[in-house]
Amino acid sequence: PDNSFHLYPTPHKKQRMAQMQLTAAKAALSPCARRWASSRSRGLLLAGTNNVSRRSLSTIPLPSAHRFAGATNNERVKMIQPWANYQISAMSTDTATDDATDDVVKDEMEFQAETRQLLDIVTHSLYTDKEVFLRELVSNASDALEKLRHIQATGTLSGTNEENIPLEIRITTDEASNTLTITDTGIGMTRDEMMSNLGTIARSGSKAFVQEMNVKAQADSTNDIDPFGEGIIGKFGVGFYSGFMVSDKVDVRSKSAGKISKDNNSITESPDDGDATVWESTGSGKYTISPLSSDIRQDRGTSVVLHLKSELDQYSNESTVETILKKYSNFVGFPIFLNGNRVNTIDAIWLQEPKTVDEDKHSAFYKYVSHMYDEPLSTLHFRVDAPLDIKALFYIPSFHQEKYGMGRMDPGVSLYSRKILIEAKSPDILPEWCRFIKGVVDSEDLPLSISREKTQDTALVGKMRKALTRKIIMHLAKMMKKDTDKYKDEFYKEYAFFLKEGVCQDHESAQPLSKLLYFETSKGMAGDLVSLDEYVSRCPPEQKDIYYLFAPSRDLALQSPYMEGFSNSKREVIFIYSAIDDFLMANLKTFEGRQLMSADRSEVDLPKTDDDKDEKDEKEDDSSTSSNKLSSTEATEFCAWFQTTLASKVSLCRTTNRLTSSPAVVTDSESGAMRRMMRMVETQEGGTSSAVNALPKQMVEINPNHEIIAGIHRLKEADPVLAQVLAEQVLDNCLVAAGLLDDGRSMLPRLNDLMLCVVKASVDKNEGSQDEKQTEDGEKSSEEPKDDDDGKDK
């Protein structure tokens, strides 16, 4: 921290030899010299050298014991002095009171820096975009104005005639000479201050000024008139040198407003303050300071003149500079004029009290940050102090662009610090599902990188992200509760997809976000939406799960065979119609302690109805011999035959009482929507349909009381081929109902064969009926009496 370091050597063989020599010479020393030698010997024994010192020690001669003992004290000191230079500590195990550490010698040195190389790093390797130089120079100008504003608020400018000069920043472009000039009417600099602030890299004059003012404020608490420090931007001391990124030469002309007195917060003039000074440098590691020529006017403040590089002449163009100013410095607290025209006309309203900002200001600011021309659907303006100081202003647009095929939107919230843009459309301060939100976040507590283009403390950013996300969810929940119609008809209709994406991606916010979702249900009408909380409130006490069913449309959902058991038991089912809804339910898994369960699961627990009880009684009654139903024994036989016949497609076949009008269903299958999504992804990646994507074996549940099942059971003995074809068709019908049939064309040949069988059977039946009729007609005609010819003639 103090720019110094210490040399800690490692043990060396010669030092141990010196210890032995010193020990042998102790007897010949006086008591005082003996104490000195004892201290030195312990120090040498414990000291060490690094590689450089070790090479140096090898050249130092060691005195013999006889020579050392016969020498005077002064000669002994000279003999041992080279070794003392490498001694670090003298630790004693004796009970003597002498402090050996007093004799420790440390080599203290300062770090050195190659100024030209350091300047080159700051100039060319620190910033990502060259246009940032203008933000840095405008920020320096703002700090100079803020310093003077503070002095004006807390002291006086006695003896000056420039008190009426307005505090402002003036920027001038000159395409003819390819220069850009940034001028402020701030506190200015003297010659010494130029040398200190501009001639020393990484020395922040603004930071030093804030520290000095804070010290004075603490010393004189009664004079705390103006809260200082909130408007100061700079703190690293490298922003000024960004000008060399775009310039071959930089001129700084400055006229100081005076010096700050040490006994109060006023500015006093010195004899040297009246003349303006110019600082010049080409960024090569050297600079010059001289009095400003009398033909160049410089009022109080500072002017930075950039002689732009020929290949970067766009920065002398007025429209280019205006765009950069509006991007980075549009909310600087002082007026910015570009060639005489005011640039920063919009206030940083996020720093104002939320209750003081009217709708017109919100409308204008929303259009600025969103680059849209609609009115915001909702506004969220708040300030928090924990876990860090945050000032945020968020807008929800009335529509989003992704639905028009314009691609995925970029994040819409920018990060500011003290009204200066740090990162536009930052991806770190809000989760990705919040990308539809527009606005700004300003925090002075975030540690910034030296280029002020990124934050450094990712843990602190994560805390801020959680706090902001929590605020947004609370705002939406409040809108949902207090203005339900607006939430349903405007917000949810437009942004439901983003909330569902958040449930799937943001696991920490999944449960709070799930409370903001709406769905259609089996008990409502088409278009009636119900939240999960409302669904739970209508569940009977014995219902422990939340049921949902995926279908392409409401009509198909109501006609689904999976709905038969729920309709009979009068249980409400949530209808979902898109793949993201299916994915959402699979990721959410639970809601308020209740499991989200698909209606096609085998473990669905439905209460038994009166019809189920009557059917059970009929099965237990041996006299029940209906040809349209299977007994328990026949049902078991049929399941075994079905599973054996379709062994390559069916893993298990069993009976169920959840069906009434359908012959069978498949249960515990993978999601049809997810399966189609995975196939689409594989196709986009250049894959093809393969055995890897083959449909796995299915669990089939049959309805033993259905005529088709009973008929197939009779046919399996009479016509095994036809029975197998019918069984395959029943399975495909189940896959269609579950959305699992990859290609419906696969069952067309079978359907044609079945239709052919039906047509032949019908034709044969009709032909048989006609033959019987003709036979009956022939028999009747043969039994009628014949008339003789005589009768006819008569």
Side-chain angles (χ1 to χ4, degrees):
D2 58 355
N3 296 326
S4 64
F5 62 93
H6 300 289
L7 179 65
Y8 288 90
T10 56
H12 189 266
K13 181 179 179 180
K14 282 197 173 185
Q15 289 174 297
R16 295 195 296 271
M17 294 173 63
Q19 161 66 15
M20 290 186 290
Q21 291 177 346
L22 290 173
T23 303
K26 280 183 181 181
L29 299 178
S30 65
C32 180
R34 188 178 296 114
R35 290 182 55 192
W36 177 87
S38 177
S39 173
R40 286 299 181 184
S41 63
R42 288 195 299 271
L44 290 172
L45 181 64
L46 296 173
T49 63
N50 58 16
N51 290 336
V52 176
S53 300
R54 188 170 298 154
R55 287 193 294 269
S56 300
L57 284 173
S58 63
T59 62
I60 299 175
L62 283 173
S64 64
H66 176 73
R67 180 185 176 191
F68 189 85
T72 64
N73 287 340
N74 291 335
E75 293 174 340
R76 291 168 182 167
V77 171
K78 292 180 180 180
M79 292 179 188
I80 203 66
Q81 187 61 43
W83 290 97
N85 291 335
Y86 289 90
Q87 181 176 335
I88 301 302
S89 62
M91 301 175 62
S92 175
T93 58
D94 299 339
T95 59
T97 59
D98 41 327
D99 186 5
T101 57
D102 293 339
D103 298 321
V104 175
V105 178
K106 297 182 180 180
D107 291 335
E108 186 172 338
M109 312 170 190
E110 284 194 3
F111 288 102
Q112 301 297 319
E114 180 62 42
T115 305
R116 183 170 182 176
Q117 184 176 1
L118 180 60
L119 182 60
D120 184 74
I121 292 174
V122 172
T123 303
H124 300 100
S125 304
L126 191 60
Y127 298 94
T128 304
D129 297 321
K130 284 184 168 59
E131 64 182 20
V132 177
F133 83 93
L134 190 55
R135 180 197 71 178
E136 298 296 294
L137 296 179
V138 170
S139 298
N140 290 345
S142 175
D143 286 350
L145 294 167
E146 181 65 23
K147 295 174 188 177
L148 184 60
R149 185 200 65 79
H150 173 71
I151 296 301
Q152 290 175 339
T154 57
T156 59
L157 294 177
S158 59
T160 63
N161 56 2
E162 298 180 344
E163 297 182 19
N164 296 326
I165 297 178
L167 301 179
E168 61 186 17
I169 301 172
R170 297 189 297 268
I171 300 176
T172 306
T173 60
D174 189 345
E175 295 190 55
S177 58
N178 197 26
T179 60
L180 177 67
T181 304
I182 300 96
T183 301
D184 66 75
T185 57
I187 196 170
M189 291 182 289
T190 63
R191 177 186 178 91
D192 292 340
E193 289 171 340
M194 278 188 169
M195 295 176 59
S196 175
N197 295 335
L198 305 183
T200 305
I201 301 175
R203 183 190 184 276
S204 175
S206 297
K207 184 177 180 180
F209 189 81
V210 170
Q211 293 174 348
E212 184 178 355
M213 292 299 101
N214 290 336
V215 170
K216 289 187 177 182
Q218 293 175 1
D220 185 10
S221 59
T222 60
N223 196 24
D224 191 10
I225 301 174
D226 181 53
F228 184 64
E230 297 181 358
I232 294 295
I233 301 168
K235 58 181 178 180
F236 293 118
V238 297
F240 165 76
Y241 306 99
S242 63
F244 290 105
M245 289 194 298
V246 297
S247 307
D248 291 325
K249 181 185 177 184
V250 176
D251 298 342
V252 181
R253 307 163 185 167
S254 187
K255 183 179 181 181
S256 175
K259 293 183 179 180
I260 304 173
S261 61
K262 296 182 180 180
D263 53 347
N264 55 46
N265 288 339
S266 63
I267 292 182
T268 59
E269 288 189 344
S270 64
D272 298 332
D273 293 339
D275 298 331
T277 310
V278 59
W279 180 97
E280 298 175 301
S281 177
T282 59
S284 59
K286 298 180 180 180
Y287 63 89
T288 61
I289 298 180
S290 60
L292 185 63
S293 175
S294 58
D295 58 347
I296 300 178
R297 179 179 177 180
Q298 177 63 47
D299 295 328
R300 183 199 69 203
T302 302
S303 297
V304 179
V305 182
L306 304 178
H307 300 269
L308 300 172
K309 298 178 181 179
S310 58
E311 66 272 16
L312 297 175
D313 57 354
Q314 67 267 25
Y315 296 117
S316 63
N317 179 268
E318 181 177 355
S319 61
T320 302
V321 174
E322 182 179 6
T323 301
I324 299 173
L325 288 173
K326 288 186 175 181
K327 178 180 179 181
Y328 291 102
S329 307
N330 206 32
F331 304 106
V332 169
F334 299 95
I336 300 177
F337 294 92
L338 176 60
N339 295 334
N341 299 318
R342 177 81 181 264
V343 176
N344 56 337
T345 57
I346 301 179
D347 295 332
I349 62 174
W350 69 83
L351 298 179
Q352 302 175 12
E353 287 295 329
K355 295 181 180 179
T356 63
V357 184
D358 56 27
E359 293 297 329
D360 293 337
K361 287 185 178 180
H362 276 305
S363 177
F365 189 78
Y366 162 74
K367 292 175 182 178
Y368 167 78
V369 298
S370 65
H371 305 289
M372 300 170 68
Y373 299 97
D374 61 321
E375 295 297 326
L377 178 64
S378 182
T379 301
L380 176 59
H381 187 188
F382 63 94
R383 306 175 71 172
V384 296
D385 297 327
L388 65 162
D389 180 68
I390 299 174
K391 304 173 185 68
L393 178 55
F394 295 146
Y395 297 102
I396 299 177
S398 59
F399 67 94
H400 68 90
Q401 296 91 346
E402 287 189 9
K403 65 179 181 180
Y404 297 118
M406 298 179 66
R408 193 174 183 87
M409 293 188 299
D410 293 328
V413 178
S414 299
L415 179 63
Y416 285 74
S417 180
R418 300 178 184 269
K419 300 186 290 186
I420 298 298
L421 179 65
I422 302 302
E423 186 175 14
K425 299 180 179 180
S426 174
D428 301 322
I429 56 180
L430 284 181
E432 192 173 0
W433 65 268
C434 290
R435 62 186 178 277
F436 65 91
I437 294 177
K438 311 297 181 182
V440 298
V441 173
D442 194 316
S443 177
E444 301 175 6
D445 295 341
L446 287 177
L448 303 177
S449 64
I450 193 171
S451 64
R452 296 197 302 160
E453 294 177 300
K454 273 287 186 180
T455 56
Q456 286 185 312
D457 193 337
T458 55
L460 202 58
V461 174
K463 291 180 180 179
M464 181 181 72
R465 178 186 179 120
K466 291 180 182 179
L468 295 176
T469 304
R470 187 164 52 248
K471 277 287 187 179
I472 292 173
I473 295 176
M474 291 172 60
H475 176 73
L476 295 177
K478 183 178 179 180
M479 184 198 305
M480 179 183 182
K481 182 178 181 180
K482 293 187 175 182
D483 198 349
T484 306
D485 293 337
K486 178 181 179 181
Y487 181 86
K488 282 185 178 181
D489 300 336
E490 298 182 45
F491 173 79
Y492 192 77
K493 183 179 179 180
E494 190 74 16
Y495 297 105
F497 176 84
F498 296 92
L499 299 181
K500 295 172 182 178
E501 180 183 333
V503 174
C504 298
Q505 292 184 349
D506 191 354
H507 299 293
E508 293 183 358
S509 304
Q511 287 296 325
L513 281 174
S514 64
K515 294 178 178 291
L516 304 177
L517 302 178
Y518 278 100
F519 302 95
E520 288 189 13
T521 68
S522 57
K523 288 188 176 181
M525 301 298 291
D528 292 342
L529 299 178
V530 175
S531 68
L532 291 178
D533 281 326
E534 293 173 334
Y535 175 94
V536 171
S537 65
R538 301 198 302 223
C539 291
E542 64 274 10
Q543 181 179 341
K544 304 301 181 183
D545 300 323
I546 298 175
Y547 302 111
Y548 67 92
L549 177 64
F550 174 80
S553 65
R554 181 180 180 86
D555 292 337
L556 292 177
L558 292 172
Q559 298 171 11
S560 173
Y562 299 104
M563 278 299 300
E564 296 176 8
F566 294 95
S567 299
N568 294 335
S569 61
K570 298 181 180 180
R571 290 289 172 86
E572 190 174 13
V573 179
I574 294 173
F575 291 156
I576 56 178
Y577 307 124
S578 62
I580 189 174
D581 289 335
D582 198 10
F583 190 68
L584 179 148
M585 293 295 186
N587 278 269
L588 188 57
K589 295 182 181 179
T590 60
F591 177 81
E592 296 294 331
R594 296 173 183 260
Q595 185 177 0
L596 295 168
M597 184 175 294
S598 177
D600 61 5
R601 304 299 298 177
S602 61
E603 59 266 27
V604 169
D605 184 17
L606 296 176
K608 296 184 180 299
T609 61
D610 294 337
D611 295 337
D612 295 334
K613 296 178 181 178
D614 294 339
E615 290 177 5
K616 183 177 181 181
D617 294 338
E618 290 178 3
K619 290 181 179 180
E620 294 176 352
D621 188 0
D622 295 337
S623 62
S624 177
T625 57
S626 175
S627 60
N628 295 333
K629 299 180 181 180
L630 298 181
S631 64
S632 59
T633 303
E634 290 174 336
T636 304
E637 294 177 357
F638 180 84
C639 289
W641 172 83
F642 192 91
Q643 182 175 344
T644 304
T645 303
L646 304 178
S648 61
K649 299 179 180 180
V650 177
S651 61
L652 179 64
C653 181
R654 64 186 182 187
T655 60
T656 183
N657 59 356
R658 65 190 292 177
L659 300 175
T660 56
S661 60
S662 300
V665 291
V666 293
T667 58
D668 297 340
S669 58
E670 63 178 329
S671 168
M674 291 300 302
R675 178 174 174 81
R676 287 190 293 273
M677 184 186 299
M678 296 304 297
R679 288 174 61 86
M680 179 182 67
V681 171
E682 183 181 0
T683 302
Q684 290 177 348
E685 293 178 352
T688 57
S689 297
S690 60
V692 177
N693 290 324
L695 190 67
K697 292 183 179 182
Q698 302 296 313
M699 179 186 295
V700 182
E701 295 185 357
I702 64 166
N703 180 8
N705 301 323
H706 201 278
E707 294 183 7
I708 293 179
I709 299 300
I712 296 176
H713 177 68
R714 292 194 299 271
L715 282 174
K716 68 184 180 65
E717 299 294 340
D719 191 347
V721 176
L722 179 58
Q724 180 177 352
V725 172
L726 292 173
E728 291 176 349
Q729 188 60 46
V730 168
L731 177 60
D732 281 356
N733 291 347
C734 294
L735 297 179
V736 171
L740 294 174
L741 192 64
D742 294 331
D743 192 351
R745 292 172 294 185
S746 61
M747 61 182 180
L748 289 179
R750 188 189 314 116
L751 288 175
N752 291 333
D753 292 341
L754 291 176
M755 288 190 295
L756 182 60
C757 291
V758 173
V759 169
K760 284 185 176 182
S762 179
V763 170
D764 292 342
K765 183 177 180 180
N766 290 335
E767 289 180 352
S769 299
Q770 291 178 1
D771 292 341
E772 291 178 359
K773 186 176 181 181
Q774 290 177 359
T775 302
E776 292 176 359
D777 293 342
E779 292 177 352
K780 291 180 180 179
S781 62
S782 61
E783 292 176 356
E784 293 180 357
K786 297 181 180 180
D787 297 333
D788 51 11
D789 294 340
D790 295 341
K792 290 181 179 180
D793 294 339
K794 292 178 180 181

